[in-house]
Amino acid sequence: MYIDGYGYRGTSFEQRYQCFSASFIDKPHVETGDRIIMPPSALDRLASLQIDYPMLFEVRNDALERVSHCGVLEFVAEEGMIYMPYWMMENMLLQEGDLVHVKNVTLPKGTYVKLQPHTKDFLDISNPKAILETTLRNFSCLTTGDSIMVAYNNKKYYIDIVETRPSNAISIIETDCEVDFAPPLDYKEPEKPVAPTKGKEQAVAEAMEPEAEPKFVAFTGTGRRLDGKSSNYQPQPISSAARPSDVKQSGGSSSSSRFGHSQQSAGSSSLNGTRRSHGKLVFGQNAHRNPKENPKEASKESEQEQPGKEEPKFQAFSGKRYSLRG
């Protein structure tokens, strides 16, 4: 508290100031960290106290009960005023000229911090770890629940402080701190492909499709006789359940037996044809004709087969004589 405008009482530093953003002074580098600018009277009081260095402060918005932590950059502000980065004012929901409660604190050194970018664009940076390390050099402490700003390549990236250890507020000055990243806020997991459901029209079309063609079965053709006529023999189809080895082993015998059967049927049919006209050898298609189909030939054969008529015997040198003179 003020005493006559400049004095303090108590053993710790605790004061209320009007808060303004860094845009009110010509110091744009203030926006790249978490350090504030305080008046010279604050330095006088802090120097008279036995406090831990580096100087760290708790800043509180009593109206909305918002708390954060920061360091100090310079003591050149006007009395009764402080300047802080605009992103810190956004975290604490402060407007220009609002009152803020400032108190010096001692924070433990951080061992672990978990960060979560607002957008996945931050992961598109070629080396985000190096950019983050460079940016955090301008920070003195981190508070769980705050959102820090990282400026890179004329673009601002906001990152949430999800978790800090060993406490909710830690000092990151001259300490080795493990950093972990959570998925960005706008990150969406890729959707699993869903199998398309068949509609009614597609189901009806599949039902109306013609049946599949029968598979090829060997040795199912029709036999042909040497005289050109079709054979009455029809081979039995081979079962599809038969093994390939069985087909190979029995292929020769089965084919030979079928050919033998067809030849036997052809021979038997030829013998049957010769039996119709005993004592004669007939070749060609006439051998298989039925005598009933041609009545003239049947009558001639019947006359020749009569026992009363004999065929004339062959007589040698019984032909006529011809003279060379004519």
Side-chain angles (χ1 to χ4, degrees):
M1 301 294 292
Y2 280 108
I3 299 179
D4 297 334
Y6 296 97
Y8 296 89
R9 61 184 178 182
T11 58
S12 64
F13 179 84
E14 188 172 355
Q15 184 63 39
R16 294 177 184 272
Y17 294 102
Q18 279 187 312
C19 177
F20 294 92
S21 63
S23 60
F24 280 73
I25 57 176
D26 189 17
K27 295 182 181 295
H29 59 279
V30 176
E31 294 289 344
T32 60
D34 68 338
R35 294 179 173 92
I36 62 176
I37 297 178
M38 303 179 68
S41 58
L43 177 59
D44 295 338
R45 176 57 180 170
L46 290 168
S48 63
L49 298 175
Q50 295 180 355
I51 61 174
D52 296 330
Y53 289 87
M55 298 180 184
L56 300 177
F57 301 92
E58 176 190 278
V59 288
R60 179 187 297 272
N61 183 358
D62 294 331
L64 298 175
E65 296 183 356
R66 302 282 294 189
V67 180
S68 184
H69 297 80
C70 64
V72 59
L73 181 63
E74 295 176 344
F75 294 91
V76 295
E78 293 84 354
E79 292 298 332
M81 299 172 57
I82 62 171
Y83 300 97
M84 66 171 52
Y86 184 71
W87 63 266
M88 287 187 64
M89 295 182 63
E90 289 181 335
N91 287 338
M92 301 180 63
L93 304 178
L94 290 171
Q95 299 295 330
E96 301 289 349
D98 287 350
L99 289 177
V100 62
H101 192 168
V102 180
K103 178 181 178 181
N104 73 300
V105 292
T106 301
L107 299 178
K109 291 184 178 295
T111 58
Y112 173 83
V113 60
K114 187 173 184 180
L115 309 176
Q116 185 177 28
H118 284 196
T119 60
K120 56 186 178 183
D121 296 342
F122 181 76
L123 303 179
D124 297 335
I125 299 175
S126 59
N127 194 350
K129 181 180 178 182
I131 300 300
L132 191 61
E133 289 178 353
T134 303
T135 303
L136 291 181
R137 290 174 184 172
N138 299 323
F139 285 72
S140 55
C141 55
L142 296 175
T143 305
T144 301
D146 281 357
S147 295
I148 64 175
M149 189 270 295
V150 177
Y152 175 73
N153 198 16
N154 297 327
K155 190 174 181 180
K156 296 180 180 179
Y157 301 92
Y158 289 90
I159 301 175
D160 289 343
I161 310 299
V162 179
E163 183 182 358
T164 57
R165 298 176 188 172
S167 64
N168 291 336
I170 58 174
S171 171
I172 59 173
I173 298 175
E174 297 180 357
T175 181
D176 293 331
C177 188
E178 181 183 355
V179 179
D180 191 11
F181 285 90
L185 294 177
D186 61 348
Y187 175 77
K188 294 182 180 179
E189 294 185 0
E191 298 180 356
K192 296 181 180 179
V194 181
T197 57
K198 296 181 179 180
K200 294 183 180 180
E201 297 180 357
Q202 186 177 0
V204 172
E206 291 181 357
M208 296 178 63
E209 288 183 357
E211 297 181 357
E213 296 182 358
K215 295 182 179 180
F216 170 75
V217 182
F219 305 107
T220 57
T222 57
R224 294 289 180 180
R225 296 180 3 174
L226 296 177
D227 55 3
K229 291 188 176 182
S230 61
S231 175
N232 295 329
Y233 172 72
Q234 295 182 355
Q236 297 180 356
I238 298 176
S239 174
S240 60
R243 294 176 298 175
S245 58
D246 298 340
V247 175
K248 291 181 180 180
Q249 293 177 1
S250 61
S253 60
S254 61
S255 60
S256 60
S257 62
R258 287 168 185 167
F259 290 136
H261 187 275
S262 61
Q263 292 176 359
Q264 183 179 0
S265 61
S268 60
S269 61
S270 61
L271 291 175
N272 293 333
T274 54
R275 290 175 183 174
R276 297 173 186 173
S277 55
H278 300 281
K280 295 179 66 178
L281 294 176
V282 183
F283 296 94
Q285 296 181 356
N286 293 331
H288 305 286
R289 289 183 179 178
N290 193 347
K292 295 180 181 181
E293 296 177 358
N294 195 344
K296 293 182 180 181
E297 294 180 0
S299 60
K300 290 180 181 181
E301 292 179 358
S302 60
E303 290 177 359
Q304 293 177 0
E305 291 178 358
Q306 291 180 2
K309 296 182 180 181
E310 297 181 357
E311 296 181 358
K313 298 181 178 180
F314 171 76
Q315 295 180 2
F317 306 103
S318 59
K320 292 181 181 183
R321 244 184 347 182
Y322 295 93
S323 174
L324 296 176
R325 298 179 179 179

